[in-house]
Amino acid sequence: MTDRSAFLQGDRPLVMGVLNVTPDSFSDGGRFLSPAAAREQARRMIAEGADIIDVGGESTRPGAAPVGVEEELDRVVPVIEAIRAESDVPVSVDTSKPEVMTAACAAGADMINDVRALREPGALETAARLGRPVCLMHMRGEPRTMQAAPRYDDVVAEVEDFLRVRVAAAEAAGLPRRHLVIDPGFGFGKTLEHNLLLFQALPRLRRMGLAVLVGVSRKSMIGTILDQRPPPGRLHGSVALAGLAVWLGARIVRVHDVGATRDAVRVVQAVREAGAGEGGMHT
Ligand code: PT1
């Protein structure tokens, strides 16, 4: 059997382009709902150098309502098929539902991105059977209510403990460790201060020995820092944080603006790699 995680091996940072196929996404809501529009956006991100395209049919931004399995299938499967028909770019499917994981992988998806870290009934078994890499993300609560006064005693320790438990559950279900990616879940049941503490702690999460994914693109944490700037004005802040995330050890950055982020990631990576093999800073 071929190793479906080849695109994840190595240690170069990867840019994951966001492809929302939802009517209510927070920053580009509705713009890519039609398969034709989604295909156009996928083409643009591939042309700009995306390493992975993340296709999602459930909005998980704060306040978002759940979506049914049929609706989610109708949104993501045609888009994955359309990408697959014209490109070998790795595709991930942003879902928590076992049925969607299965159909997406049959349509050609290479990776599962689950904001609920395989906690839905049947998700662990399904992901193990599909044999694809999986991103396990931390979320406190559910999207509709998660931003109602989230509280932690020690946000970094609690997120790290959660991820350790989910990694152990995934391994127990038969997922190989090299297929696992972890994500602290920026904006998912966290205040600005919680998000900033988690960002500072990326090197500590990295020490769990797994690839770390960071998704902060256009999120409200950036809008809040920049005096309540709405999403269209969050590009530069998003690119800055993507570069900083790579500096702090992130392997994958999940972003809307692929071209700008790719440049930032490449220059940051050049600094990280300087002197490699001669006792450079990350050897
Ligand atoms: C993420 C992520 C995701 N984010 C992964 N998948 C979203 N692995 C969807 C806000 O505060 O970070 N990692 N899938 C989008 N969710 C949000 C959350 C969007 C918060 C916006 C906010 O603005």
Side-chain angles (χ1 to χ4, degrees):
M1 191 174 148
T2 58
D3 187 346
R4 316 253 0 175
S5 66
F7 68 96
L8 268 185
Q9 303 311 314
D11 51 15
R12 311 203 69 83
L14 303 175
V15 175
M16 171 186 272
V18 177
L19 190 56
N20 287 313
V21 198
T22 57
D24 57 351
S25 157
F26 77 107
S27 69
D28 47 21
R31 272 200 295 149
F32 310 125
L33 186 57
S34 85
R39 192 203 300 124
E40 273 316 304
Q41 175 64 0
R43 279 185 185 148
R44 177 178 7 257
M45 293 195 291
I46 293 165
E48 290 179 2
D51 298 296
I52 307 168
I53 304 288
D54 187 42
V55 179
E58 178 200 1
S59 175
T60 53
R61 81 188 197 291
V67 57
V69 60
E70 290 304 329
E71 178 70 33
E72 203 180 321
L73 284 168
D74 288 347
R75 291 177 184 177
V76 302
V77 170
V79 171
I80 294 169
E81 287 173 346
I83 296 171
R84 223 2 111 243
E86 57 188 70
S87 170
D88 289 329
V89 68
V91 170
S92 81
V93 59
D94 189 343
T95 191
S96 300
K97 296 183 179 70
E99 300 90 333
V100 178
M101 295 174 187
T102 300
C105 289
D110 302 281
M111 176 176 173
I112 294 161
N113 172 27
D114 186 2
V115 300
R116 295 179 185 81
L118 305 180
R119 285 179 291 159
E120 290 294 299
L124 273 171
E125 298 74 12
T126 298
R129 175 170 55 75
L130 293 169
R132 293 342 189 251
V134 177
C135 178
L136 303 169
M137 197 198 79
H138 175 272
M139 170 164 60
R140 168 69 62 85
E142 276 290 314
R144 198 204 287 272
T145 52
M146 66 190 175
Q147 289 306 109
R151 281 210 58 250
Y152 300 82
D153 290 320
D154 180 339
V155 66
V156 174
E158 289 171 50
V159 168
E160 183 174 353
D161 285 349
F162 171 88
L163 292 173
R164 281 189 193 285
V165 168
R166 297 315 300 161
V167 166
E171 287 192 276
L175 282 112
R177 217 177 150 76
R178 69 174 190 289
H179 279 188
L180 301 179
V181 176
I182 53 172
D183 180 346
F186 293 100
F188 287 89
K190 284 125 187 153
T191 65
L192 173 60
E193 180 73 0
H194 295 143
N195 288 317
L196 296 176
L197 290 169
L198 284 166
F199 209 98
Q200 278 186 349
L202 286 173
R204 175 167 157 189
L205 294 178
R206 175 70 197 94
R207 287 195 287 276
M208 286 175 64
L210 299 167
V212 175
L213 187 152
V214 166
V216 292
S217 181
R218 300 187 191 173
K219 284 186 181 175
S220 56
M221 64 181 282
I222 294 169
T224 303
I225 294 168
L226 301 178
D227 305 317
Q228 315 303 331
R229 189 90 55 86
R234 298 177 189 171
L235 168 65
H236 307 288
S238 298
V239 173
L241 283 189
L244 186 58
V246 167
W247 179 257
L248 293 173
R251 273 293 312 290
I252 307 175
V253 285
R254 181 183 179 277
V255 304
H256 300 84
D257 304 283
V258 169
T261 305
R262 183 156 186 270
D263 284 357
V265 163
R266 286 176 67 188
V267 297
V268 169
Q269 182 65 5
V271 178
R272 290 184 84 231
E273 283 180 350
E278 315 157 31
M281 64 175 291
H282 290 282
T283 57

Coordinates of all heavy atoms in Angstrom, one line a residue, residues 24-111:
D24 N -22.0 30.6 4.7 CA -21.8 31.5 5.9 C -20.4 31.6 6.4 O -20.3 31.9 7.6 CB -22.8 31.1 7.0 CG -22.5 29.7 7.4 OD1 -21.7 29.0 6.8 OD2 -23.1 29.2 8.4
S25 N -19.4 31.3 5.6 CA -18.1 31.4 6.1 C -17.8 32.8 6.6 O -18.3 33.8 6.0 CB -17.1 31.0 5.0 OG -15.8 31.6 5.2
F26 N -16.9 33.0 7.6 CA -16.7 34.3 8.2 C -16.1 35.3 7.4 O -16.3 36.5 7.5 CB -16.0 34.1 9.6 CG -14.5 33.9 9.4 CD1 -13.6 35.0 9.8 CD2 -14.0 32.7 9.0 CE1 -12.2 34.8 9.7 CE2 -12.6 32.6 8.9 CZ -11.7 33.6 9.3
S27 N -15.2 34.9 6.5 CA -14.4 36.0 5.8 C -14.7 36.0 4.3 O -14.5 37.0 3.6 CB -12.9 35.8 6.0 OG -12.5 34.6 5.3
D28 N -15.2 34.9 3.7 CA -15.5 34.9 2.3 C -16.8 34.2 2.1 O -17.0 33.5 1.1 CB -14.4 34.3 1.5 CG -13.9 32.9 2.0 OD1 -14.6 32.3 2.8 OD2 -12.8 32.5 1.7
G29 N -17.7 34.4 3.1 CA -19.0 33.6 3.1 C -19.7 33.6 1.8 O -20.1 34.7 1.3
G30 N -20.0 32.4 1.3 CA -20.9 32.3 0.2 C -20.2 32.5 -1.2 O -20.7 32.1 -2.2
R31 N -19.0 33.1 -1.1 CA -18.4 33.4 -2.4 C -18.0 32.2 -3.2 O -17.9 32.2 -4.4 CB -17.1 34.2 -2.2 CG -17.4 35.7 -2.1 CD -16.1 36.5 -2.4 NE -15.1 36.4 -1.4 CZ -13.8 36.4 -1.6 NH1 -13.4 36.6 -2.9 NH2 -13.0 36.3 -0.7
F32 N -17.7 31.0 -2.5 CA -17.3 29.9 -3.2 C -18.3 28.7 -3.1 O -17.9 27.6 -3.3 CB -15.9 29.4 -2.7 CG -14.9 30.6 -2.7 CD1 -14.3 30.9 -1.5 CD2 -14.7 31.3 -3.8 CE1 -13.4 32.0 -1.4 CE2 -13.8 32.4 -3.7 CZ -13.2 32.7 -2.6
L33 N -19.5 29.0 -2.9 CA -20.5 28.0 -2.7 C -20.7 27.2 -4.0 O -20.8 26.0 -3.9 CB -21.8 28.5 -2.2 CG -22.8 27.5 -1.8 CD1 -22.2 26.5 -0.7 CD2 -24.1 28.1 -1.2
S34 N -20.8 27.8 -5.1 CA -21.0 27.1 -6.3 C -19.8 26.3 -6.7 O -18.7 26.8 -6.5 CB -21.4 28.0 -7.5 OG -20.3 28.5 -8.1
P35 N -20.0 25.1 -7.3 CA -18.8 24.3 -7.6 C -17.9 25.0 -8.6 O -16.7 24.9 -8.5 CB -19.4 23.0 -8.3 CG -20.8 22.9 -7.7 CD -21.2 24.3 -7.4
A36 N -18.5 25.8 -9.5 CA -17.6 26.5 -10.5 C -16.8 27.6 -9.8 O -15.6 27.7 -10.1 CB -18.5 27.2 -11.5
A37 N -17.4 28.3 -8.8 CA -16.6 29.3 -8.1 C -15.6 28.7 -7.2 O -14.4 29.2 -7.1 CB -17.6 30.2 -7.3
A38 N -15.9 27.6 -6.6 CA -14.9 26.9 -5.8 C -13.7 26.4 -6.6 O -12.6 26.5 -6.2 CB -15.6 25.7 -5.1
R39 N -14.1 25.9 -7.8 CA -13.0 25.4 -8.7 C -12.1 26.5 -9.1 O -10.8 26.4 -9.1 CB -13.6 24.7 -9.9 CG -12.5 24.0 -10.7 CD -12.9 23.8 -12.2 NE -14.2 23.0 -12.3 CZ -15.2 23.5 -13.0 NH1 -15.2 24.7 -13.6 NH2 -16.3 22.8 -13.1
E40 N -12.6 27.7 -9.4 CA -11.8 28.9 -9.7 C -10.9 29.3 -8.6 O -9.7 29.5 -8.8 CB -12.7 30.1 -10.0 CG -13.1 30.2 -11.5 CD -12.0 29.9 -12.4 OE1 -11.0 30.6 -12.4 OE2 -12.1 29.0 -13.3
Q41 N -11.4 29.3 -7.3 CA -10.6 29.6 -6.2 C -9.5 28.6 -6.0 O -8.4 28.9 -5.6 CB -11.5 29.8 -4.9 CG -10.7 30.1 -3.6 CD -9.9 31.4 -3.6 OE1 -10.0 32.1 -4.6 NE2 -9.2 31.6 -2.5
A42 N -9.8 27.3 -6.2 CA -8.8 26.3 -6.0 C -7.7 26.5 -7.1 O -6.5 26.4 -6.7 CB -9.5 24.9 -6.2
R43 N -8.1 26.8 -8.3 CA -7.1 27.0 -9.3 C -6.2 28.2 -9.0 O -5.0 28.1 -9.1 CB -7.8 27.4 -10.6 CG -8.3 26.2 -11.4 CD -8.9 26.6 -12.8 NE -9.5 25.5 -13.4 CZ -10.5 25.5 -14.2 NH1 -11.1 26.7 -14.5 NH2 -11.0 24.4 -14.8
R44 N -6.8 29.2 -8.4 CA -6.0 30.4 -8.1 C -5.0 30.0 -7.0 O -3.8 30.3 -7.0 CB -6.8 31.5 -7.6 CG -6.0 32.7 -7.1 CD -6.8 34.0 -6.6 NE -8.2 33.8 -6.6 CZ -9.1 34.2 -7.4 NH1 -8.7 34.9 -8.5 NH2 -10.4 34.0 -7.3
M45 N -5.4 29.3 -6.0 CA -4.5 28.9 -4.8 C -3.4 27.9 -5.3 O -2.3 28.0 -4.9 CB -5.4 28.3 -3.7 CG -6.3 29.3 -3.0 SD -6.9 28.8 -1.4 CE -8.0 27.5 -1.9
I46 N -3.8 27.0 -6.2 CA -2.8 26.1 -6.8 C -1.7 26.9 -7.5 O -0.5 26.7 -7.4 CB -3.4 25.0 -7.6 CG1 -4.3 24.1 -6.8 CG2 -2.4 24.2 -8.4 CD1 -5.3 23.2 -7.6
A47 N -2.2 27.9 -8.4 CA -1.3 28.7 -9.1 C -0.4 29.5 -8.2 O 0.8 29.8 -8.6 CB -2.1 29.6 -10.1
E48 N -0.9 29.9 -7.1 CA -0.1 30.7 -6.1 C 0.8 29.8 -5.3 O 1.6 30.3 -4.4 CB -1.0 31.5 -5.2 CG -1.7 32.6 -6.0 CD -2.7 33.5 -5.1 OE1 -2.8 33.2 -3.9 OE2 -3.3 34.4 -5.6
G49 N 0.8 28.5 -5.5 CA 1.7 27.6 -4.8 C 1.2 26.9 -3.6 O 2.1 26.5 -2.7
A50 N -0.1 26.7 -3.4 CA -0.6 26.0 -2.3 C 0.0 24.6 -2.2 O 0.0 23.9 -3.3 CB -2.1 26.0 -2.3
D51 N 0.4 24.1 -1.1 CA 0.9 22.8 -0.9 C -0.3 21.8 -0.6 O -0.2 20.6 -0.9 CB 1.9 22.7 0.3 CG 3.1 23.6 0.0 OD1 3.8 23.2 -0.9 OD2 3.3 24.6 0.8
I52 N -1.4 22.3 -0.1 CA -2.5 21.5 0.3 C -3.8 22.4 0.1 O -3.7 23.6 0.4 CB -2.5 21.1 1.8 CG1 -1.2 20.3 2.1 CG2 -3.7 20.2 2.1 CD1 -1.0 20.1 3.7
I53 N -4.9 21.9 -0.4 CA -6.1 22.6 -0.4 C -7.1 22.0 0.6 O -7.3 20.8 0.5 CB -6.8 22.6 -1.8 CG1 -5.8 23.1 -2.9 CG2 -8.1 23.4 -1.8 CD1 -5.6 24.5 -2.9
D54 N -7.6 22.8 1.5 CA -8.5 22.3 2.6 C -9.9 22.6 2.2 O -10.3 23.8 2.3 CB -8.1 23.0 3.9 CG -8.8 22.4 5.1 OD1 -9.0 21.2 5.2 OD2 -9.2 23.2 6.0
V55 N -10.7 21.6 1.9 CA -12.1 21.8 1.4 C -13.0 21.6 2.6 O -13.0 20.5 3.2 CB -12.4 20.9 0.3 CG1 -13.9 21.0 -0.2 CG2 -11.5 21.1 -0.9
G56 N -13.8 22.6 2.9 CA -14.7 22.5 4.1 C -16.2 22.8 3.7 O -16.4 23.9 3.1
G57 N -17.1 22.0 4.2 CA -18.5 22.3 4.0 C -19.3 22.6 5.2 O -20.6 22.7 5.2
E58 N -18.6 22.6 6.4 CA -19.3 23.0 7.6 C -18.6 24.3 8.1 O -17.4 24.2 8.4 CB -19.1 21.9 8.7 CG -19.8 22.4 10.0 CD -19.3 21.6 11.3 OE1 -18.4 20.7 11.1 OE2 -19.8 21.9 12.4
S59 N -19.3 25.4 8.3 CA -18.7 26.6 8.9 C -18.5 26.3 10.4 O -19.4 25.8 11.0 CB -19.5 27.8 8.7 OG -19.0 28.9 9.4
T60 N -17.3 26.6 10.9 CA -17.0 26.3 12.3 C -16.6 27.6 13.0 O -16.0 27.6 14.1 CB -15.9 25.3 12.5 OG1 -14.8 25.6 11.8 CG2 -16.4 23.9 12.1
R61 N -16.9 28.7 12.3 CA -16.5 30.0 13.0 C -17.5 30.2 14.2 O -18.5 29.6 14.2 CB -16.7 31.2 12.0 CG -18.1 31.6 11.8 CD -18.4 32.5 10.7 NE -19.7 33.2 10.9 CZ -20.9 32.6 10.7 NH1 -20.9 31.3 10.4 NH2 -22.0 33.2 10.9
P62 N -17.1 31.1 15.1 CA -17.9 31.3 16.3 C -19.4 31.7 15.9 O -19.6 32.5 15.0 CB -17.3 32.5 17.0 CG -15.8 32.4 16.6 CD -15.8 31.9 15.2
G63 N -20.3 31.0 16.5 CA -21.8 31.3 16.2 C -22.4 30.4 15.1 O -23.6 30.4 15.0
A64 N -21.5 29.7 14.4 CA -22.1 28.9 13.2 C -23.0 27.8 13.7 O -22.7 27.2 14.7 CB -20.9 28.4 12.4
A65 N -24.0 27.5 12.9 CA -24.9 26.4 13.2 C -24.4 25.1 12.6 O -23.7 25.2 11.6 CB -26.3 26.8 12.7
P66 N -24.8 24.0 13.2 CA -24.4 22.7 12.6 C -25.0 22.5 11.2 O -26.0 23.2 10.8 CB -25.0 21.7 13.5 CG -25.4 22.4 14.8 CD -25.7 23.8 14.4
V67 N -24.5 21.6 10.4 CA -25.0 21.3 9.1 C -25.2 19.8 9.0 O -24.5 19.0 9.6 CB -24.0 21.8 8.0 CG1 -22.6 21.2 8.2 CG2 -24.5 21.5 6.6
G68 N -26.2 19.4 8.2 CA -26.5 18.0 8.1 C -25.6 17.3 7.2 O -24.9 17.9 6.4
V69 N -25.5 15.9 7.3 CA -24.5 15.2 6.6 C -24.8 15.2 5.1 O -23.8 15.3 4.3 CB -24.5 13.7 7.1 CG1 -25.8 13.0 7.0 CG2 -23.4 12.9 6.4
E70 N -26.1 15.2 4.7 CA -26.3 15.2 3.2 C -25.9 16.5 2.6 O -25.3 16.6 1.6 CB -27.8 15.0 2.9 CG -28.3 13.6 3.2 CD -27.5 12.5 2.4 OE1 -27.0 12.8 1.3 OE2 -27.3 11.4 3.0
E71 N -26.2 17.6 3.3 CA -25.8 19.0 2.9 C -24.3 19.1 2.8 O -23.8 19.6 1.8 CB -26.4 20.0 3.9 CG -26.0 21.4 3.6 CD -26.7 22.0 2.3 OE1 -27.9 21.5 2.1 OE2 -26.2 22.8 1.6
E72 N -23.6 18.6 3.8 CA -22.1 18.7 3.8 C -21.5 17.9 2.6 O -20.6 18.3 1.9 CB -21.6 18.2 5.1 CG -20.2 18.8 5.4 CD -19.7 18.4 6.8 OE1 -20.5 18.3 7.8 OE2 -18.5 18.1 6.9
L73 N -22.1 16.7 2.4 CA -21.6 15.8 1.3 C -21.8 16.5 0.0 O -21.0 16.5 -0.9 CB -22.4 14.5 1.3 CG -22.0 13.5 2.4 CD1 -23.0 12.3 2.4 CD2 -20.6 12.9 2.1
D74 N -23.0 17.1 -0.2 CA -23.4 17.8 -1.5 C -22.4 19.0 -1.7 O -22.1 19.4 -2.9 CB -24.8 18.3 -1.4 CG -25.8 17.2 -1.6 OD1 -25.4 16.1 -1.9 OD2 -27.0 17.5 -1.3
R75 N -21.9 19.6 -0.6 CA -21.0 20.7 -0.8 C -19.6 20.3 -1.2 O -19.0 20.9 -2.1 CB -21.0 21.6 0.5 CG -22.3 22.3 0.8 CD -22.2 23.0 2.2 NE -23.4 23.6 2.5 CZ -23.6 24.3 3.7 NH1 -22.7 24.4 4.6 NH2 -24.8 24.8 3.9
V76 N -19.1 19.3 -0.4 CA -17.6 19.1 -0.6 C -17.3 18.0 -1.7 O -16.2 18.2 -2.3 CB -16.9 18.6 0.8 CG1 -17.1 19.7 1.8 CG2 -17.4 17.3 1.3
V77 N -18.1 17.0 -1.9 CA -17.7 16.0 -2.8 C -17.5 16.5 -4.2 O -16.4 16.2 -4.9 CB -18.6 14.8 -2.7 CG1 -18.4 13.8 -3.9 CG2 -18.5 14.1 -1.4
P78 N -18.4 17.3 -4.8 CA -18.2 17.8 -6.2 C -16.9 18.6 -6.3 O -16.3 18.6 -7.3 CB -19.4 18.6 -6.5 CG -20.5 18.2 -5.5 CD -19.7 17.7 -4.3
V79 N -16.6 19.4 -5.3 CA -15.5 20.3 -5.3 C -14.2 19.4 -5.3 O -13.2 19.7 -6.0 CB -15.5 21.3 -4.2 CG1 -14.2 22.1 -4.1 CG2 -16.7 22.2 -4.4
I80 N -14.1 18.4 -4.4 CA -13.0 17.6 -4.4 C -12.8 16.8 -5.7 O -11.7 16.8 -6.3 CB -13.0 16.6 -3.2 CG1 -13.0 17.3 -1.9 CG2 -11.9 15.5 -3.3 CD1 -13.3 16.5 -0.7
E81 N -13.9 16.4 -6.3 CA -13.8 15.7 -7.6 C -13.3 16.6 -8.7 O -12.5 16.3 -9.5 CB -15.2 15.1 -8.0 CG -15.6 13.9 -7.2 CD -17.0 13.5 -7.5 OE1 -17.8 14.2 -8.1 OE2 -17.4 12.3 -7.1
A82 N -13.8 17.9 -8.6 CA -13.3 18.9 -9.6 C -11.8 19.2 -9.5 O -11.1 19.3 -10.5 CB -14.2 20.2 -9.5
I83 N -11.4 19.3 -8.3 CA -9.9 19.6 -8.1 C -9.1 18.4 -8.6 O -8.1 18.5 -9.3 CB -9.6 19.8 -6.6 CG1 -10.3 21.1 -6.1 CG2 -8.1 19.9 -6.4 CD1 -10.2 21.3 -4.6
R84 N -9.6 17.2 -8.2 CA -8.9 15.9 -8.6 C -8.8 15.7 -10.1 O -7.9 15.2 -10.6 CB -9.6 14.8 -7.9 CG -8.9 13.7 -7.3 CD -7.4 13.8 -7.2 NE -6.9 14.0 -5.9 CZ -6.2 15.0 -5.5 NH1 -5.9 16.0 -6.3 NH2 -5.7 15.1 -4.3
A85 N -9.9 16.2 -10.8 CA -9.9 16.0 -12.2 C -8.8 16.8 -13.0 O -8.5 16.5 -14.1 CB -11.3 16.5 -12.8
E86 N -8.3 17.8 -12.3 CA -7.3 18.7 -13.0 C -6.0 18.9 -12.2 O -5.1 19.6 -12.7 CB -7.9 20.0 -13.4 CG -8.5 20.8 -12.2 CD -9.2 22.0 -12.7 OE1 -10.3 21.8 -13.3 OE2 -8.7 23.1 -12.6
S87 N -5.8 18.3 -11.1 CA -4.6 18.6 -10.3 C -4.3 17.4 -9.4 O -5.2 16.8 -8.9 CB -4.8 19.9 -9.5 OG -3.7 20.0 -8.6
D88 N -3.0 17.2 -9.1 CA -2.5 16.3 -8.1 C -2.3 16.9 -6.8 O -1.7 16.3 -5.9 CB -1.2 15.6 -8.6 CG -1.5 14.7 -9.8 OD1 -2.6 14.1 -9.9 OD2 -0.6 14.5 -10.6
V89 N -2.6 18.2 -6.6 CA -2.4 18.9 -5.3 C -3.0 18.1 -4.2 O -4.2 17.6 -4.3 CB -2.9 20.3 -5.4 CG1 -4.4 20.3 -5.4 CG2 -2.4 21.1 -4.2
P90 N -2.3 17.9 -3.1 CA -2.9 17.2 -1.9 C -4.2 18.0 -1.5 O -4.2 19.2 -1.4 CB -1.9 17.2 -0.9 CG -0.6 17.2 -1.6 CD -0.9 18.1 -2.8
V91 N -5.3 17.2 -1.2 CA -6.5 17.8 -0.7 C -6.8 17.3 0.6 O -6.7 16.1 0.9 CB -7.7 17.5 -1.7 CG1 -9.0 17.9 -1.1 CG2 -7.5 18.1 -3.1
S92 N -7.2 18.2 1.6 CA -7.7 17.8 2.8 C -9.1 18.1 2.9 O -9.6 19.0 2.3 CB -6.9 18.4 4.0 OG -7.3 19.7 4.3
V93 N -9.9 17.3 3.7 CA -11.3 17.6 3.9 C -11.5 18.0 5.4 O -11.1 17.3 6.3 CB -12.2 16.4 3.5 CG1 -11.8 15.1 4.3 CG2 -13.7 16.7 3.7
D94 N -12.1 19.2 5.5 CA -12.3 19.8 6.9 C -13.7 19.3 7.3 O -14.7 19.9 7.0 CB -12.3 21.3 6.7 CG -12.3 22.1 8.0 OD1 -12.7 21.4 9.1 OD2 -12.0 23.3 8.1
T95 N -13.7 18.2 8.1 CA -15.0 17.6 8.5 C -14.8 16.9 9.8 O -13.7 16.4 10.1 CB -15.6 16.7 7.4 OG1 -16.9 16.3 7.8 CG2 -14.8 15.4 7.3
S96 N -15.9 16.7 10.5 CA -16.0 15.8 11.7 C -16.8 14.6 11.5 O -16.9 13.7 12.4 CB -16.5 16.6 12.9 OG -15.7 17.8 13.2
K97 N -17.5 14.5 10.3 CA -18.4 13.4 10.1 C -17.8 12.2 9.4 O -17.3 12.4 8.3 CB -19.6 14.0 9.3 CG -20.4 15.0 10.0 CD -21.6 15.4 9.1 CE -22.4 16.5 9.8 NZ -21.7 17.8 9.9
P98 N -17.9 11.0 10.0 CA -17.4 9.8 9.3 C -17.8 9.6 7.9 O -17.0 9.3 7.0 CB -17.8 8.7 10.2 CG -18.1 9.3 11.6 CD -18.5 10.7 11.3
E99 N -19.1 9.9 7.6 CA -19.6 9.7 6.3 C -19.0 10.6 5.3 O -18.7 10.3 4.1 CB -21.2 9.9 6.2 CG -22.0 9.1 7.2 CD -22.2 9.7 8.6 OE1 -21.3 10.5 9.0 OE2 -23.2 9.3 9.2
V100 N -18.7 11.9 5.7 CA -18.1 12.8 4.8 C -16.6 12.5 4.6 O -16.0 12.6 3.5 CB -18.2 14.3 5.4 CG1 -17.5 15.3 4.5 CG2 -19.7 14.6 5.5
M101 N -15.9 12.0 5.7 CA -14.5 11.6 5.6 C -14.4 10.5 4.5 O -13.6 10.5 3.6 CB -14.0 11.0 6.9 CG -13.9 12.0 8.0 SD -13.5 11.3 9.6 CE -13.7 12.7 10.7
T102 N -15.3 9.5 4.6 CA -15.3 8.3 3.7 C -15.6 8.8 2.2 O -14.8 8.4 1.3 CB -16.4 7.3 4.1 OG1 -16.0 6.9 5.4 CG2 -16.3 6.1 3.2
A103 N -16.6 9.6 2.0 CA -16.9 10.0 0.7 C -15.9 10.9 0.1 O -15.5 10.9 -1.1 CB -18.3 10.7 0.7
A104 N -15.3 11.8 0.9 CA -14.3 12.7 0.5 C -13.0 12.0 0.0 O -12.4 12.3 -1.0 CB -13.9 13.7 1.6
C105 N -12.7 10.9 0.8 CA -11.5 10.2 0.5 C -11.7 9.4 -0.8 O -10.8 9.2 -1.7 CB -11.0 9.3 1.6 SG -10.3 10.3 3.0
A106 N -12.9 8.8 -1.0 CA -13.3 8.1 -2.2 C -13.2 9.1 -3.4 O -12.8 8.7 -4.5 CB -14.7 7.5 -2.1
A107 N -13.5 10.4 -3.2 CA -13.4 11.4 -4.3 C -12.0 11.9 -4.5 O -11.8 12.6 -5.4 CB -14.3 12.5 -3.9
G108 N -11.1 11.4 -3.6 CA -9.7 11.8 -3.9 C -9.0 12.6 -2.8 O -7.8 13.0 -3.0
A109 N -9.6 12.8 -1.7 CA -9.0 13.6 -0.6 C -7.8 12.8 0.0 O -7.9 11.5 0.1 CB -10.0 13.9 0.5
D110 N -6.8 13.5 0.4 CA -5.5 12.8 0.9 C -5.4 13.0 2.4 O -4.5 12.3 3.0 CB -4.3 13.5 0.3 CG -4.4 13.4 -1.2 OD1 -4.1 12.4 -1.8 OD2 -4.8 14.5 -1.9
M111 N -6.2 13.8 3.0 CA -6.0 14.1 4.5 C -7.3 14.5 5.1 O -8.2 15.0 4.4 CB -5.0 15.3 4.6 CG -4.7 15.8 6.0 SD -3.4 17.1 6.0 CE -3.5 17.6 7.7

